[in-house]
Amino acid sequence: MSAFDLWVYRAKQLEIVHATEFYPDFNGKIVYPISLIEENIKSKDFESIYHFGKKNIYIHNPKGEVNQEKFVDYLVQTYFDLRKTYRSYFINIASLREVVCYKMKISERKFEDLLNHAYKLNLNGTLKIKISLEVDKLPEETKAIYLKQEPVMVEGKYRNIIAIDITKNI
């Protein structure tokens, strides 16, 4: 592992950057910030995690109903974009995660938190869509991917594929 890769991995674990080699239809590594270094931020979507001198490191940690709705909108939009590529009702949830994380500038952990909440709303019947999560692998998935790419955990179980139905009354 190069020094760059090591520091990117550490920064990803601290949730100050997001990095992926698995962004759909892109060959290479994408690294982008999901944090800011500022004296003071008044936005509720940022949380201070470290203070040094007059500056703070703030991670992007959107909360609240508005952000949950925004997450669901990105989830649905990205699902249908990827579904065209996969040509399948079920798509790889990790690919979906990469695009949604990029669009919302959130960490993988925040994606899991938001997806867990959306899935609970789905099970309660209060979400405007229906979400189906499964553990099956898609034909193009191999063991090598799971060695590099973090799995997605929902409701305490690792999930591999997702399907979304918007035919529910909106």
Side-chain angles (χ1 to χ4, degrees):
M1 196 177 234
S2 71
F4 174 77
D5 288 332
L6 183 62
W7 281 106
V8 166
Y9 177 76
R10 288 176 179 169
K12 185 176 176 181
Q13 295 303 318
L14 292 171
E15 299 180 23
I16 58 177
V17 302
H18 185 69
T20 183
E21 295 178 40
F22 301 101
Y23 196 88
D25 298 326
F26 184 81
N27 189 14
K29 180 180 271 191
I30 298 176
V31 180
Y32 56 92
I34 54 175
S35 61
L36 297 170
I37 299 175
E38 294 286 336
E39 284 186 29
N40 192 14
I41 295 179
K42 293 186 172 44
S43 173
K44 294 177 184 176
D45 289 346
F46 287 88
E47 176 183 335
S48 177
I49 61 165
Y50 187 74
H51 176 76
F52 56 99
K54 292 183 177 182
K55 303 280 185 177
N56 292 293
I57 297 178
Y58 293 91
I59 59 171
H60 189 223
N61 189 15
K63 297 176 181 144
E65 191 175 313
V66 170
N67 285 309
Q68 184 66 43
E69 288 175 14
K70 189 186 305 183
F71 172 77
V72 171
D73 290 343
Y74 278 121
L75 194 70
V76 171
Q77 175 191 6
T78 304
Y79 168 79
F80 282 102
D81 289 346
L82 291 174
R83 191 172 147 189
K84 291 176 194 170
T85 302
Y86 282 107
R87 297 180 186 187
S88 172
Y89 191 68
F90 281 94
I91 64 163
N92 181 316
I93 195 169
S95 296
L96 179 71
R97 175 187 61 202
E98 298 303 347
V99 177
V100 172
C101 284
Y102 181 77
K103 287 179 177 179
M104 291 188 72
K105 302 300 185 263
I106 58 174
S107 68
E108 290 179 354
R109 183 185 60 81
K110 187 62 184 178
F111 175 87
E112 278 189 12
D113 291 346
L114 291 167
L115 183 60
N116 268 288
H117 185 69
Y119 192 63
K120 286 177 187 172
L121 293 174
N122 169 68
L123 294 175
N124 293 338
T126 57
L127 198 60
K128 63 182 182 179
I129 60 171
K130 293 179 186 176
I131 300 173
S132 177
L133 298 167
E134 301 297 334
V135 185
D136 295 339
K137 293 180 186 175
L138 294 170
E140 66 270 9
E141 294 175 322
T142 64
K143 283 189 173 185
I145 288 176
Y146 294 109
L147 297 175
K148 289 184 172 183
Q149 197 171 22
E150 297 288 327
V152 178
M153 184 177 283
V154 180
E155 294 275 300
K157 296 178 185 171
Y158 290 116
R159 309 296 177 125
N160 302 73
I161 56 177
I162 185 171
I164 296 176
D165 184 8
I166 61 167
T167 59
K168 187 176 177 183
N169 292 336
I170 297 178

